[in-house]
Structure formats: C-alpha cells, structure tokens
Amino acid sequence: MCGIVTLVGDEARHMLNVLRMKKGDRVILIDGSGTELTAVISETFAARDGRECEVHLTVEGARVCDAEPNVKVTLFQCLPKAGKMELIIQKCVELGVSAIRPVHSRRCVVKPERNENKLLRYEKVSQEASKQCGRATCAKVYPPAELEECGFSDFDLLLIAYEGEEKLSLKQALMEAKAGILANKDQPRIALLIGPEGGFEQEEIDRLMENCPNARSVSLGKRILRTETAGMAMLAMLMYELEE
Ligand code: SAH
C-alpha cells in the first residue's frame, strides 16, 4: 500500500517540536480503526507567517495491529467523584477496553451531565493512551446513561462487580462462561459494570439480574476496592482468563 499522509495540528507539532523528527525518519501511523501504517517523513514545514506546521509522510505498508484483544469489553463505570474518570479511562485503555460508558446509579454523588467539552477531553485521554500503549484502535467514550438504559442485553455476558456477592467469584464466572455462553464465540462482547463510591443497592442488582439473562453478579475478592481500582482489576483479571 502506498500513499501520502499529511499531518497538521497537535500531531505535527508534537513530531517536530517535541520528538524533533526530521525528513527520512520512519514512523508508525494509526488511524483509530485497527490498522497500522508504516511511513517515512518526506517533507516537514515549520510553523511560519501564521501557517501551522505540517508533516508529509509517504506510506510504505499497512498491517493489522496485533495489540487488539479478541474479546470486546465495554466498561460501564458508575460516575466516580471528580477527576477519577480520566485515570479510569487511561488505565482501562492500556488494559484493552474497547469502550467506556459512564453510568448514573442510585448512590452516585455526581450528577450526570452532557458536557461536550468533557466528552472531548475523555476521547483525547483515550486516544493518548491508545497511542502510548501501541493500540491502533481508539476506545470510544460515550456520554453518561442511566443504569436502566445501558442496553446490557446487547452483550454476550454482563459481569456486575458487586461488593455484596458472596457466592460467585469473577474467576468462576469466567470459567463457566468459557465453557458455556462464550464457547465458540470468535469475538465475545462483554460488559463490565462497576458501582460508585457508595456501592450498589441490592435492589439495583436484583433488577439487573431479572432483566438480563446473561448477567452474573461477581465478587472481585476478599477486599473492597475503590471504584477506580475495581474496573482496572476486573479488566486485568478478565484479559488474563480470556485474551488469546
Ligand atoms: N461503599 C461500598 C463499596 C463500594 S466499592 C461498601 O463499603 O461496601 C465501589 C465498587 O467497586 C462496588 O460497587 C463494586 O462495583 C466494586 N467493588 C469493589 N470491591 C469489590 C469486591 N471485592 N467485589 C466485587 N465488587 C467490588
């Protein structure tokens, strides 16, 4: 595959002013769709006379990025207190999440808001994390939804991290799913649900279990994790069991 790619804006500035890249340098370009392009810088233009800097690259090859997990995980994260969402997005992208949806549940102290700037900021955090860890796709961050409106039945499996779960461990649930619901599924779609700082109400869990036949309420172990730790821990454990 051949072609010319022109970079402007933040990416061009970063390449020229921070990474000090020059004509002839080789780079890997990612377009967010799962393909990696190998390219060589053919021309650079520094910012001048009100014009932005620009980098021209010649594409030499394309390949499918192998940093993508076969399992497609969406993290449904109940709204945490200020500032934690960015950390959660960054770490969960590194751990292989495909999408993240903030969720409003009964014990959330933060109100859901449709703030375009915040969403753009979250997308940027996701993009930066993808780039840093060598993923060629960018995890989508959705606007917040109410717990009852998350569309959990679209998934092959919903794993609810519930601090009050005494019987089923995440490991057991995954082993059973591997032998059952997920057997022979090429790219299983799994939803993870994490409660807010105040946890879930038993009634919320009961209702989810009633409405969604593929839901399992699971324990993450003997210790209670903070909401921002729970998603990362759960994702790491899930990838360990399911990633090929
Ligand atoms: N305030 C609650 C704890 C909430 S922890 C209490 O004191 O009981 C925040 C969220 O992280 C929980 O709702 C749950 O989704 C997840 N979580 C934390 N530790 C967990 C564990 N050991 N097992 C299952 N889920 C856990």
Side-chain angles (χ1 to χ4, degrees), residues 107 160-164 193-200 218-227 230:
R107 292 190 187 158
I160 308 166
Y162 181 38
E163 59 280 16
L193 174 61
I194 307 292
E197 282 87 355
F200 285 118
V218 298
S219 161
L220 300 181
K222 291 187 233 168
R223 288 166 294 281
I224 301 288
L225 309 175
R226 283 178 182 258
T227 184

Side-chain angles (χ1 to χ4, degrees), residues 75 77 80-95 100 121-122 125 129 226-229 232:
L75 175 74
Q77 170 69 53
K81 287 186 191 156
K84 290 182 181 172
M85 202 60 178
E86 291 190 13
L87 174 82
I88 294 171
I89 294 169
Q90 185 192 60
K91 298 302 168 211
C92 289
V93 167
E94 289 171 35
L95 290 164
I100 297 174
R121 170 79 201 132
Y122 288 167
V125 171
R226 283 178 182 258
T227 184
E228 66 271 31
T229 316
M232 299 173 203

Side-chain angles (χ1 to χ4, degrees), residues 94-162:
E94 289 171 35
L95 290 164
V97 83
S98 296
I100 297 174
R101 168 143 353 235
V103 176
H104 183 248
S105 67
R106 288 188 199 166
R107 292 190 187 158
C108 284
V109 288
V110 176
K111 293 222 157 49
E113 47 169 6
R114 276 198 168 249
N115 179 333
E116 280 305 314
N117 286 338
K118 195 174 258 183
L119 205 56
L120 285 175
R121 170 79 201 132
Y122 288 167
E123 295 249 296
K124 181 91 184 152
V125 171
S126 164
Q127 217 177 51
E128 290 296 325
S130 282
K131 219 166 69 171
Q132 182 275 330
C133 73
R135 289 182 70 176
T137 55
C138 199
K140 176 103 186 107
V141 184
Y142 291 98
E146 289 298 324
L147 184 58
E148 304 76 41
E149 291 158 8
C150 287
F152 291 130
S153 42
D154 295 345
F155 291 83
D156 298 312
L157 178 63
L158 163 62
L159 294 168
I160 308 166
Y162 181 38

Side-chain angles (χ1 to χ4, degrees), residues 15-225:
M15 282 174 95
L16 298 185
N17 303 343
V18 181
L19 301 175
R20 304 261 166 219
M21 298 191 101
K22 309 178 296 301
K23 188 170 168 172
D25 284 348
R26 290 183 184 285
V27 298
I28 292 175
L29 299 171
I30 53 175
D31 65 357
S33 73
T35 307
E36 275 180 3
L37 304 177
T38 47
V40 59
I41 298 178
S42 49
E43 216 58 71
T44 62
F45 302 91
R48 190 172 297 154
D49 305 330
R51 271 193 54 189
E52 279 202 77
C53 61
E54 217 172 278
V55 179
H56 295 186
L57 302 112
T58 306
V59 176
E60 295 182 324
R63 59 179 180 231
V64 175
C65 172
D66 70 355
E68 285 311 305
N70 56 309
V71 39
K72 301 293 164 210
V73 180
T74 299
L75 175 74
F76 290 84
Q77 170 69 53
C78 288
L79 288 163
K81 287 186 191 156
K84 290 182 181 172
M85 202 60 178
E86 291 190 13
L87 174 82
I88 294 171
I89 294 169
Q90 185 192 60
K91 298 302 168 211
C92 289
V93 167
E94 289 171 35
L95 290 164
V97 83
S98 296
I100 297 174
R101 168 143 353 235
V103 176
H104 183 248
S105 67
R106 288 188 199 166
R107 292 190 187 158
C108 284
V109 288
V110 176
K111 293 222 157 49
E113 47 169 6
R114 276 198 168 249
N115 179 333
E116 280 305 314
N117 286 338
K118 195 174 258 183
L119 205 56
L120 285 175
R121 170 79 201 132
Y122 288 167
E123 295 249 296
K124 181 91 184 152
V125 171
S126 164
Q127 217 177 51
E128 290 296 325
S130 282
K131 219 166 69 171
Q132 182 275 330
C133 73
R135 289 182 70 176
T137 55
C138 199
K140 176 103 186 107
V141 184
Y142 291 98
E146 289 298 324
L147 184 58
E148 304 76 41
E149 291 158 8
C150 287
F152 291 130
S153 42
D154 295 345
F155 291 83
D156 298 312
L157 178 63
L158 163 62
L159 294 168
I160 308 166
Y162 181 38
E163 59 280 16
E165 174 60 47
E166 285 170 356
K167 296 195 203 96
L168 188 62
S169 69
L170 174 62
K171 187 177 174 97
Q172 266 172 294
L174 288 173
M175 300 307 253
E176 281 168 26
K178 267 208 281 197
I181 307 179
L182 302 182
N184 308 319
K185 278 247 151 61
D186 196 23
Q187 295 210 325
R189 299 191 63 224
I190 301 182
L192 305 184
L193 174 61
I194 307 292
E197 282 87 355
F200 285 118
E201 291 186 4
Q202 181 67 50
E203 205 197 3
E204 289 179 304
I205 303 293
D206 293 345
R207 199 171 290 174
L208 285 169
M209 299 293 286
E210 248 170 60
N211 295 338
C212 186
N214 290 346
R216 303 285 180 274
S217 148
V218 298
S219 161
L220 300 181
K222 291 187 233 168
R223 288 166 294 281
I224 301 288
L225 309 175

